[in-house]
């Protein structure tokens, strides 16, 4: 088990799913759960942020605009997430990078805006299958990390959570093996350590890629895996709870 004092995090990314009934189910189940060992975050679609009542878990947004406010139809500002009691925001998710053409530089800009507003970024990195197969995996992830490091500085990683999501394992049913996940998590930590070893040691790095109740314990027991960013399974309250319970240190 971990000798570090990194507190585990399990974050549920609902993506464009969910409804008010799911919020009620989730809150009812979690209000009675013993989860003092883990920080649980739910990231629903924007319209549902106001639908949560309790403090069974923390809330996060799924992205923000890099603009502060203004004539940007359909966008959501960091300040608005704060008003809706969000503490976290997912940034650089592979679906935003692919569907919305978010570059490493734009993601870095959004991380900077989030930090300035006191939101904690859940900053996503990860490679598509062709990059892994061509052996460019580590260069690709290093470039994603370096864009943010050069924008906000290494000290900011005291307030950033990193999520590694192998793009080839999202919604495909494929999961990186615990050893594959650990290899990349260790690389990310070593890459940060080149700049500042103490920050690297305490940075929480989540795994995101088809995590289920059945594989969570094994994934979370890897030395550099500090929890998970959960997609599909976060829409099933029982599955999501079992993953949260698996994050015991």
């Amino acid at each position: 088990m971990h000798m570090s004092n990194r507190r585990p995090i399990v974050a549920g990314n609902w993506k464009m799913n969910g409804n008010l009934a799911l919020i009620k189910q989730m809150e009812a189940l979690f209000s009675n759960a013993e989860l003092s060992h883990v920080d649980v975050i739910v990231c629903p679609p924007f319209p549902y942020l106001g639908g949560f009542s309790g403090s069974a878990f923390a809330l996060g947004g799924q992205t923000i605009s890099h603009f502060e406010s203004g004539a940007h139809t359909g966008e959501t500002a960091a300040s608005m997430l704060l008003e809706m009691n969000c503490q976290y925001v997912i940034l650089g998710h592979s679906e935003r990078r692919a569907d919305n053409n978010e570059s490493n530089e734009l993601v870095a800009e959004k991380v900077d805006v989030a930090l300035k507003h006191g939101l904690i970024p859940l900053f996503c990195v990860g490679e598509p299958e062709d990059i892994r197969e061509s052996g460019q995996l580590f260069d690709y992830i290093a470039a994603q990390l370096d864009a943010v490091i050069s924008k906000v500085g290494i000290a900011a990683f005291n307030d950033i959570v990193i999520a590694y999501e192998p793009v080839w394992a999202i919604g495909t049913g494929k999961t990186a093996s615990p050893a594959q996940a650990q290899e990349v998590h260790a690389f990310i930590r070593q890459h940060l350590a080149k700049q500042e070893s103490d920050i690297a040691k305490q940075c929480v790095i989540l795994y995101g890629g088809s995590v289920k109740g059945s594989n969570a314990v094994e994934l979370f027991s890897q030395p550099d895996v500090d929890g998970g960013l959960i997609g599909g399974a976060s829409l099933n309250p029982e599955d999501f709870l079992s993953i949260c319970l698996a994050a015991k240190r």
Side-chain angles (χ1 to χ4, degrees), residues 46-220:
F46 290 136
Y48 293 130
L49 283 168
F52 291 83
S53 56
S55 53
F57 28 70
L59 291 178
Q62 294 181 12
T63 186
I64 49 169
S65 173
H66 59 296
F67 295 111
E68 292 286 334
S69 65
H72 307 290
T73 302
E75 294 292 327
T76 298
S79 57
M80 298 172 186
L81 290 191
L82 286 171
E83 279 210 312
M84 299 310 288
N85 298 317
C86 286
Q87 292 171 258
Y88 297 87
V89 60
I90 299 170
L91 295 173
H93 192 280
S94 58
E95 288 155 6
R96 299 285 314 173
R97 291 177 188 267
D99 301 350
N100 302 78
N101 301 316
E102 293 197 5
S103 64
N104 287 348
E105 292 65 36
L106 179 64
V107 172
E109 224 175 303
K110 291 187 175 197
V111 169
D112 190 35
V113 170
L115 290 169
K116 283 178 174 149
H117 284 270
L119 286 168
I120 299 169
L122 303 173
F123 161 50
C124 301
V125 300
E127 82 285 0
E129 195 151 26
D130 58 329
I131 296 286
R132 176 170 274 266
E133 283 172 359
S134 67
Q136 298 167 291
L137 154 67
F138 295 118
D139 291 343
Y140 188 88
I141 290 176
Q144 292 179 321
L145 291 167
D146 287 343
V148 173
I149 293 169
S150 67
K151 178 77 180 170
V152 300
I154 191 68
F157 279 77
N158 279 322
D159 302 307
I160 293 172
V161 174
I162 297 174
Y164 166 57
E165 31 157 38
V167 180
W168 47 272
I170 297 177
T172 59
K174 292 182 190 177
T175 312
S177 69
Q180 283 175 316
Q182 168 57 24
E183 179 189 31
V184 179
H185 281 237
F187 167 77
I188 292 169
R189 209 175 292 290
Q190 286 154 9
H191 194 73
L192 296 178
K194 289 178 191 164
Q195 308 268 343
E196 173 59 75
S197 62
D198 286 349
I199 287 172
K201 275 193 199 84
Q202 67 77 44
C203 188
V204 171
I205 308 177
L206 310 181
Y207 172 74
S210 300
V211 180
K212 308 182 247 319
S214 54
N215 60 22
V217 171
E218 206 188 346
L219 283 163
F220 294 170

Side-chain angles (χ1 to χ4, degrees), residues 217-240:
V217 171
E218 206 188 346
L219 283 163
F220 294 170
S221 67
Q222 301 302 307
D224 288 296
V225 178
D226 304 317
L229 178 61
I230 318 302
S234 73
L235 298 166
N236 179 314
E238 285 79 14
D239 285 359
F240 188 53

